[in-house]
Amino acid sequence: MSHSTGSPNQRNYDVEAGSNRSGDDEESSNVFDITRTKHASVERLRRWRQAALVLNASRRFRYTLDLKKEEDRKQTLRKIRAHAQAIRAAFLFKESIQQENGIVPPKPSSAGEFRIGQEELASISRDHNFTTLQQYGGVKGLGELLKTSLEKGIPGSDDDLLKRKTAYGSNTYPRKKPRSFWRFLWEACQDLTLIILMVAAVASLALGIKTEGIKEGWYDGGSIAFAVLLVIVVTAISDYKQSLQFQNLNEEKRNIQIEVIRGGRRVEVSIYDLVVGDVIPLNIGDQVPADGVLITGHSLSIDESSMTGESKIVRKDSKEPFLMSGCKVADGNGIMLVTSVGINTEWGLLMASISEDTGEETPLQVRLNGVATFIGVVGLTVAFLVLCVLLVRYFTGHTTNADGTPQFVAGKTKFGKAIDGAIKIVTIAVTIVVVAVPEGLPLAVTLTLAYSMRKMMADKALVRRLSACETMGSATTICSDKTGTLTLNQMTVVESCACLKKVNNSDGKPDLSPKISSLIIEGIAQNTTGNVYVPETGGDVEVTGSPTEKAILQWALKLGMNFEATRSQSSILHVFPFNSEKKRGGVAVKLPNNEVHIHWKGAAEIILASCTRYIDDNDQVAAMDDDKLMFFRKSIEDMASGSLRCVAIAYLPYELENVPTGEQQLADWAMPADDLVLLAIVGIKDPCRPGVADAVRLCQKAGVKVRMVTGDNVQTAKAIALECGILRADSDLSELLIEGKDFRELSDRQREGVAEKISVMGRSSPNDKLLLVQALRRRGHVVAVTGDGTNDAPALHEADIGLAMGIQGTEVAKESSDIIILDDNFASVVKVVRWGRSVYANIQKFIQFQLTVNVAALVINVVAAISSGEVPLNAVQLLWVNLIMDTLGALALATEPPTNHLMDRPPVGRREPLITNIMWRNLLIQAIYQITVLLIFNFRGKSILNLEHDSTDHADKVKNTLIFNTFVLCQIFNEFNARKPDEFNIFKGITKNYLFMGIIAVTLVLQILIVEFLGKFTTTVRLNWKHWLISVVIAFISWPLAVVGKFIPVPETPFHRYFTRSPLFKFITRIFCRRRERTEVSQ
């Protein structure tokens, strides 16, 4: 049963406040309330940093966006771009002077076995020196100098690749060294409270040695110093391991796969393996992987904004053939020759000059900084109160020794001893701050994200933006492509229609006449971005290209196509690359007899609408009357209802004298696309992916509505949607199905109403997808969108989570996305949703665990301090508790793997409170239990444990050791409770989480060692088996107590709402807002 009914704004949980599209980005009275960091302003990011209570800024803000460094990076980019353009302008000026004076440029120097050196190559490409290129014989001459065949590429043998790398370098650039472990250690030392504790430890050490001698006097100060160092080292190790995970993920992001031509074959290689002389096909959406020159191109347009800083599309042709690394193909296609790689390219210089990774904060991270700040303020207040009470009690003589004598007597106590007593009190207060301020809370997000991102790689999802990981847990709708995502992307032509009849498409040759076969073969061979490679030594034919192109090429091979021979029989005059808006692509070719054929291929109904003629059984061109038109339309509908993708092939004979002759006129020529002759309609089968129906059902159960947005025929989309479970046969399909053109004609308000109901959009353009995303976001949805094409970039950018396809996706789509789905599989998208929810759930588990420790430790120490002037948990013990709570607790709870239980609930509202009512109930029950039991032991422990007959000093140490031991064991047992806040079986799946079990075991062993063997350092004594049994039993009771607590119902209205409605809260908020307004005005 689906939770997804209507808009999220109509549900009982708030996903996103406001109906305005940018509502999630609007100013909020809470500086920590940034629900979408994807497009947050620098000012908003700066404000939450200023408002956060931070003890160690270098550690807290390590993985957030470095605002200063980001500004420096942009400034550096501007300088380098200006520098490159100035050099280019100067070179052109110098070249023009040389031409006027008749100066001949020097001959090229050699590089190893190659007759041209790197300097000459770099000057050609970097300076866009067209004259020098011509003097080397143009692109053809350059290919000869580089021993490259412009048709077949380089040989590609290991020996050849090694020679090229030796002569011209590899396609890599020097990067800044990652932070060493010592840097992390240094940053961990910068925590303000730890610095104070170290100073206190040194002072205590000096005073202790002076008053008690070195043998006994070093324990107090030395134990605090050792505990602080232990916290620093463990923190640094944890942070360093996280950084290594992020480094590995960043390497994966940069490792782009590029198609190259080597030895006549098209093969995929890593961008790092490109060499000078490589021949690379470029298609719309590709990134230019190195500097080079254009061999041949058709309507090739390049977006050079990444290099020049200007959003200007530049047309490339034989007069302007220079291509720069890092730029994107905006339109058309072509083939390039690589002339420079790595640091010898402008892009390589640019990347080597700037720091790429400046960090990024996530909404959850910002909110947790807010929670940490609130808790920290409370903790500081409590610590200050304890400090004042203890100092007053000490200096007024109310703090006594074990024998009942006052520790301080005015005029009698030595100055050194008085200072030592005051230092111990300050140490306790500072240690309370260490425990109270949850410095590790925001960093737990980074920990769980680092863990999740590494595991998501195994689930075929590469995270490009950290925030997308957690936002995916809030997704209420997924707008998915059909081809390759819901289907296998393994296409074959299974039906075809030509000459007013259905063509037999068995494994044998399709039954078509020679004339129509030759026209179809000519159109398919020339009007394609694919390729057919026939090995010279024999073997299987290799067909490359997009899945649709491959299917049509394989069908043409059955017709008897010889790919290379057919392409050589005619020359291409002009190409209209396939366009997702127009849904068709065309080519004009000149035959040996000077005839011109214009071939078109594309969406069947769109091509058919442009056809006025067809070829009949007698190979004659016949007029397309209404009956013939209805026959072909019916054929398309029949194929589409059988879930086939329909593609039509048509052509137009054209007069050569009507074709423009000039290069520029030819480039701007709008090829005739009407009055076409229909050749054939083919039906391409692309089966549904196995398991996709289960994945869709899981989404619907989890309250996430799946919508199909495809460029295919509506009937094809409907058939696949029924097969996948997106549509049900008993549904009212009239409201759930829509064509892209119908949707875009609606007004904004109408689109919002219709968008809510849509399950399938057919014949959609990328702009229709963008309009749908905007309409859904205005309705309050958190939208995830899949996309693979260049034109999908705006929708991927606009969506809350953009998901690009790793196999079929273009580089432009990938760069606009937040997550790359490496196997193009919808089931992997669903796994991302589960991981997103897991991130949120793990953070909540850690918050519940940490707040329980915070509340219990604070209350116990405050009550004991105020009532007796002594605290049962001393500085070293509290530092150990802090280590369990912050670092070890985060490792244990923030790395819980996701479970199917997460998909049994609706999406997490992005403005829902982090601490839910269930969490409040759980933590208050545990905290109250621990406080009650341990305070009873604190005040009545001697009588309960039968210690009245022992010396006062020994009895106090046994009592305090028991309190400390019981408190730590309670936290260990409570970690199990925190694993499953809303489930009764807290041990479910525990055997699969080896890290959790390992941390519990290590914590337990260390606790035993501390109590039994390190008493001198921790001011504890050994406990007998009875005392250990008492500690374990008290801690064990927290398990049945948690089970009983889960029967207590909680109200649906979050607890914080009751608090925010109170007059006191409104008064404080009003004061805070006025103060902030005054600060902003003064700034």
Side-chain angles (χ1 to χ4, degrees):
M1 186 179 135
S2 171
H3 297 279
S4 181
T5 55
S7 164
N9 287 337
Q10 297 165 347
R11 301 183 196 156
N12 59 1
Y13 56 93
D14 177 25
V15 174
E16 207 165 344
S19 58
N20 186 290
R21 184 187 71 78
S22 59
D24 50 5
D25 299 326
E26 287 177 352
E27 291 294 319
S28 167
S29 60
N30 184 357
V31 292
F32 298 105
D33 188 14
I34 305 177
T35 56
R36 198 171 188 240
T37 56
K38 192 170 177 177
H39 304 302
S41 67
V42 172
E43 187 52 40
R44 289 207 73 187
L45 298 179
R46 187 175 285 115
R47 276 173 51 201
W48 82 256
R49 285 164 172 72
Q50 291 169 347
L53 174 67
V54 180
L55 299 177
N56 187 347
S58 60
R59 184 169 181 248
R60 176 80 73 88
F61 297 136
R62 180 182 298 136
Y63 295 111
T64 59
L65 181 67
D66 189 325
L67 301 179
K68 187 176 184 306
K69 195 182 284 184
E70 180 68 4
E71 184 54 42
D72 291 345
R73 190 179 77 92
K74 289 176 181 175
Q75 190 68 28
T76 306
L77 274 171
R78 284 193 288 269
K79 285 179 183 176
I80 292 172
R81 285 167 178 160
H83 181 64
Q85 288 172 346
I87 289 175
R88 196 169 295 139
F91 192 90
L92 291 171
F93 178 72
K94 179 185 172 186
E95 183 188 35
S96 65
I97 297 293
Q98 286 177 339
Q99 284 176 349
E100 283 179 17
N101 297 333
I103 299 171
V104 180
K107 289 184 179 180
S109 61
S110 63
E113 294 188 11
F114 304 98
R115 290 181 292 148
I116 186 168
Q118 178 55 55
E119 283 302 315
E120 287 79 9
L121 283 174
S123 71
I124 291 170
S125 55
R126 200 182 297 165
D127 302 323
H128 292 193
N129 192 343
F130 186 71
T131 306
T132 308
L133 176 63
Q134 290 301 103
Q135 286 166 347
Y136 289 150
V139 180
K140 188 177 180 184
L142 205 58
E144 289 171 359
L145 292 171
L146 291 170
K147 297 184 178 182
T148 296
S149 163
L150 299 185
E151 291 79 32
K152 294 186 176 181
I154 62 174
S157 64
D158 290 342
D159 184 48
D160 178 53
L161 293 174
L162 183 61
K163 286 175 183 174
R164 291 175 187 275
K165 285 181 180 178
T166 304
Y168 302 113
S170 60
N171 199 26
T172 56
Y173 53 87
R175 296 198 186 100
K176 285 180 71 178
K177 284 186 178 179
R179 296 180 187 186
S180 66
F181 171 73
W182 304 110
R183 174 77 181 273
F184 284 96
L185 201 66
W186 169 246
E187 287 183 355
C189 292
Q190 293 174 35
D191 190 301
L192 181 62
T193 51
L194 296 183
I195 291 169
I196 295 170
L197 285 175
M198 284 300 286
V199 171
V202 170
S204 180
L205 196 64
L207 288 167
I209 292 170
K210 186 181 177 183
T211 54
E212 298 178 40
I214 193 163
K215 192 174 182 181
E216 293 292 327
W218 70 277
Y219 283 116
D220 282 353
S223 57
I224 294 172
F226 176 77
V228 169
L229 288 173
L230 182 66
V231 169
I232 288 169
V233 170
V234 172
T235 302
I237 291 170
S238 174
D239 291 349
Y240 180 62
K241 288 189 74 176
Q242 279 180 53
S243 77
L244 291 178
Q245 289 180 0
F246 282 124
Q247 280 174 40
N248 295 335
L249 287 164
N250 284 333
E251 281 302 317
E252 287 288 342
K253 286 186 221 173
R254 297 189 192 107
N255 189 10
I256 301 166
Q257 294 299 305
I258 302 291
E259 188 178 58
V260 299
I261 300 172
R262 288 181 180 172
R265 296 175 62 193
R266 293 196 180 198
V267 293
E268 280 202 346
V269 299
S270 165
I271 193 170
Y272 300 130
D273 295 331
L274 286 184
V275 292
V276 169
D278 260 325
V279 173
I280 303 174
L282 295 174
N283 292 303
I284 185 169
D286 286 349
Q287 176 177 309
V288 180
D291 282 2
V293 290
L294 185 66
I295 298 171
T296 178
H298 304 292
S299 306
L300 185 66
S301 298
I302 304 291
D303 178 5
E304 295 185 347
S305 58
S306 60
M307 289 306 303
T308 63
E310 299 172 11
S311 54
K312 183 181 175 185
I313 305 299
V314 181
R315 178 72 63 87
K316 296 292 177 181
D317 51 33
S318 59
K319 291 180 181 175
E320 184 60 42
F322 301 104
L323 298 163
M324 290 189 288
S325 176
C327 299
K328 307 292 187 300
V329 180
D331 201 4
N333 55 61
I335 296 175
M336 72 174 279
L337 172 68
V338 175
T339 57
S340 294
V341 294
I343 197 65
N344 297 311
T345 67
E346 254 180 70
W347 180 256
L349 284 171
L350 206 67
M351 291 295 102
S353 306
I354 61 172
S355 174
E356 285 181 84
D357 304 308
T358 54
E360 170 219 350
E361 52 255 74
T362 73
L364 197 53
Q365 210 172 3
V366 177
R367 290 179 72 188
L368 282 171
N369 270 286
V371 173
T373 298
F374 175 76
I375 297 169
V377 168
V378 172
L380 278 172
T381 307
V382 169
F384 182 71
L385 183 66
V386 170
L387 178 67
C388 292
V389 168
L390 291 182
L391 284 174
V392 168
R393 287 184 66 95
Y394 179 75
F395 285 112
T396 55
H398 288 83
T399 304
T400 57
N401 294 311
D403 57 3
T405 60
Q407 290 184 3
F408 178 84
V409 179
K412 293 183 180 179
T413 304
K414 289 182 180 179
F415 178 75
K417 195 173 181 184
I419 292 296
D420 189 37
I423 286 172
K424 285 180 180 176
I425 291 169
V426 170
T427 303
I428 290 166
V430 173
T431 314
I432 288 173
V433 174
V434 173
V435 176
V437 179
E439 194 72 4
L441 193 54
L443 295 170
V445 181
T446 313
L447 179 66
T448 190
L449 286 174
Y451 167 79
S452 301
M453 286 166 71
R454 183 166 54 85
K455 292 291 185 182
M456 283 165 77
M457 277 293 290
D459 281 342
K460 305 297 179 186
L462 171 62
V463 178
R464 294 187 73 252
R465 285 180 64 90
L466 277 177
S467 58
C469 237
E470 62 190 51
T471 307
M472 204 64 188
S474 301
T476 58
T477 186
I478 300 172
C479 298
S480 174
D481 284 337
K482 175 184 75 68
T483 307
T485 308
L486 297 169
T487 61
L488 280 170
N489 222 3
Q490 295 172 0
M491 299 193 187
T492 47
V493 175
V494 294
E495 275 188 46
S496 58
C497 171
C499 308
L500 274 183
K501 65 179 183 183
K502 186 177 177 182
V503 180
N504 181 20
N505 275 305
S506 60
D507 288 338
K509 183 178 177 180
D511 183 18
L512 288 169
S513 69
K515 179 182 177 181
I516 196 166
S517 291
S518 66
L519 283 168
I520 290 171
I521 286 169
E522 180 184 278
I524 291 173
Q526 295 287 21
N527 189 17
T528 184
T529 54
N531 188 57
V532 177
Y533 172 71
V534 182
E536 292 176 5
T537 55
D540 294 335
V541 174
E542 293 179 21
V543 181
T544 56
S546 72
T548 307
E549 293 284 7
K550 283 164 68 176
I552 293 171
L553 285 169
Q554 283 163 342
W555 183 67
L557 288 171
K558 289 180 183 178
L559 280 170
M561 175 182 72
N562 183 325
F563 186 73
E564 290 298 334
T566 305
R567 286 175 73 90
S568 63
Q569 286 167 6
S570 56
S571 58
I572 294 174
L573 297 172
H574 185 59
V575 172
F576 180 88
F578 180 83
N579 185 300
S580 54
E581 291 281 351
K582 300 285 187 183
K583 306 271 182 225
R584 63 184 174 194
V587 64
V589 296
K590 180 185 170 186
L591 304 178
N593 60 4
N594 284 338
E595 283 184 28
V596 173
H597 286 170
I598 297 174
H599 290 278
W600 287 97
K601 179 179 70 182
E605 65 270 31
I606 291 172
I607 296 292
L608 181 61
S610 300
C611 292
T612 56
R613 296 166 290 168
Y614 73 101
I615 294 180
D616 63 16
D617 272 341
N618 301 317
D619 288 346
Q620 300 299 312
V621 177
M624 181 93 68
D625 58 27
D626 289 345
D627 289 342
K628 310 295 187 298
L629 192 63
M630 284 304 296
F631 171 83
F632 287 118
R633 280 180 180 164
K634 181 73 167 58
S635 299
I636 292 169
E637 284 177 13
D638 290 346
M639 290 182 195
S641 60
S643 72
L644 302 185
R645 167 177 276 191
C646 303
V647 176
I649 301 165
Y651 93 113
L652 175 68
Y654 203 66
E655 297 297 329
L656 182 60
E657 57 264 25
N658 293 333
V659 178
T661 52
E663 189 175 345
Q664 188 57 49
Q665 291 90 335
L666 192 61
D668 296 333
W669 180 38
M671 289 194 311
D674 294 315
D675 196 27
L676 304 181
V677 179
L678 183 68
L679 296 176
I681 297 169
V682 295
I684 303 171
K685 181 70 176 173
D686 185 13
C688 254
R689 283 187 181 273
V692 78
D694 293 334
V696 169
R697 202 176 302 115
L698 189 63
C699 275
Q700 290 167 343
K701 183 176 131 186
V704 183
K705 184 176 174 69
V706 181
R707 305 167 200 269
M708 181 197 290
V709 185
T710 178
D712 266 350
N713 186 303
V714 172
Q715 295 305 317
T716 307
K718 173 187 166 186
I720 294 288
L722 285 166
E723 200 176 335
C724 294
I726 292 171
L727 291 177
R728 291 206 304 262
D730 58 349
S731 304
D732 180 8
L733 299 182
S734 62
E735 288 191 346
L736 303 175
L737 280 165
I738 196 169
E739 268 204 39
K741 63 181 177 64
D742 297 331
F743 184 72
R744 80 179 77 110
E745 286 167 3
L746 300 172
S747 67
D748 284 354
R749 188 174 291 277
Q750 287 172 323
R751 274 199 292 267
E752 282 183 41
V754 170
E756 197 69 58
K757 300 172 186 173
I758 292 173
S759 289
V760 175
M761 185 189 286
R763 281 289 173 244
S764 70
S765 68
N767 191 53
D768 299 330
K769 188 185 278 189
L770 175 62
L771 292 172
L772 178 63
V773 171
Q774 289 172 340
L776 288 168
R777 290 199 64 230
R778 281 197 296 268
R779 293 283 293 180
H781 282 281
V782 178
V783 185
V785 169
T786 69
D788 52 17
T790 303
N791 293 333
D792 287 330
L796 291 168
H797 188 261
E798 177 70 19
D800 296 284
I801 314 104
L803 303 155
M805 299 297 109
I807 299 171
Q808 290 301 315
T810 63
E811 283 308 311
V812 172
K814 289 175 186 175
E815 287 212 355
S816 297
S817 70
D818 304 303
I819 296 172
I820 298 172
I821 304 300
L822 298 174
D823 62 353
D824 292 13
N825 191 344
F826 184 77
S828 299
V829 176
V830 179
K831 287 175 184 174
V832 174
V833 174
R834 205 167 66 147
W835 274 109
R837 295 186 176 195
S838 175
V839 167
Y840 199 86
N842 286 350
I843 293 301
Q844 288 188 314
K845 292 170 188 176
F846 180 57
I847 290 172
Q848 180 180 307
F849 171 70
Q850 192 170 46
L851 287 187
T852 306
V853 183
N854 276 32
V855 171
L858 282 175
V859 173
I860 290 166
N861 269 9
V862 169
V863 172
I866 292 172
S867 58
S868 64
E870 294 287 339
V871 286
L873 301 172
N874 62 36
V876 178
Q877 292 168 0
L878 283 174
L879 283 170
W880 168 234
V881 168
N882 184 64
L883 197 63
I884 296 171
M885 180 179 73
D886 250 17
T887 308
L888 299 178
L891 272 171
L893 294 168
T895 56
E896 276 278 324
T899 61
N900 288 327
H901 177 68
L902 294 167
M903 300 300 279
D904 292 335
R905 56 181 79 159
V908 178
R910 296 205 298 194
R911 292 192 192 273
E912 276 187 12
L914 272 173
I915 310 171
T916 64
N917 290 1
I918 288 172
M919 290 166 65
W920 277 119
R921 177 195 66 195
N922 295 347
L923 77 87
L924 287 174
I925 287 171
Q926 294 295 329
I928 290 167
Y929 167 68
Q930 290 176 23
I931 291 164
T932 305
V933 171
L934 297 181
L935 283 179
I936 288 170
F937 272 107
N938 186 59
F939 296 115
R940 294 284 180 267
K942 291 180 186 177
S943 57
I944 293 170
L945 300 171
N946 295 319
L947 300 172
E948 291 100 332
H949 305 297
D950 292 13
S951 67
T952 307
D953 183 49
H954 180 260
D956 282 339
K957 281 186 176 178
V958 171
K959 178 197 71 173
N960 288 342
T961 302
L962 183 75
I963 291 171
F964 165 61
N965 194 43
T966 306
F967 183 71
V968 171
L969 291 180
C970 278
Q971 309 324 316
I972 293 172
F973 277 75
N974 195 37
E975 268 185 270
F976 288 85
N977 291 329
R979 285 187 70 244
K980 305 287 180 184
D982 56 349
E983 293 181 60
F984 288 103
N985 185 2
I986 57 173
F987 304 107
K988 188 177 178 181
I990 201 164
T991 52
K992 295 177 183 176
N993 193 345
Y994 302 117
L995 185 61
F996 181 90
M997 296 301 290
I999 286 169
I1000 292 293
V1002 167
T1003 309
L1004 193 56
V1005 168
L1006 288 174
Q1007 178 62 18
I1008 293 168
L1009 289 173
I1010 286 168
V1011 171
E1012 294 298 314
F1013 304 105
L1014 300 174
K1016 277 278 188 184
F1017 295 98
T1018 55
T1019 324
T1020 56
V1021 292
R1022 290 188 175 187
L1023 297 177
N1024 61 38
W1025 70 268
K1026 290 179 182 176
H1027 295 151
W1028 271 101
L1029 186 63
I1030 291 168
S1031 298
V1032 171
V1033 168
I1034 291 169
F1036 176 81
I1037 291 171
S1038 66
W1039 283 351
L1041 189 67
V1043 173
V1044 172
K1046 284 167 188 173
F1047 285 104
I1048 301 171
V1050 293
E1052 286 188 14
T1053 306
F1055 286 149
H1056 81 95
R1057 294 263 174 92
Y1058 298 112
F1059 176 67
T1060 54
R1061 287 171 188 165
S1062 68
L1064 178 63
F1065 179 83
K1066 289 175 182 176
F1067 175 72
I1068 293 168
T1069 306
R1070 208 157 40 238
I1071 292 172
F1072 178 78
C1073 289
R1074 283 175 187 166
R1075 184 183 163 196
R1076 200 181 77 197
E1077 284 166 11
R1078 282 198 299 272
T1079 306
E1080 287 172 357
V1081 167
S1082 65
Q1083 285 175 346

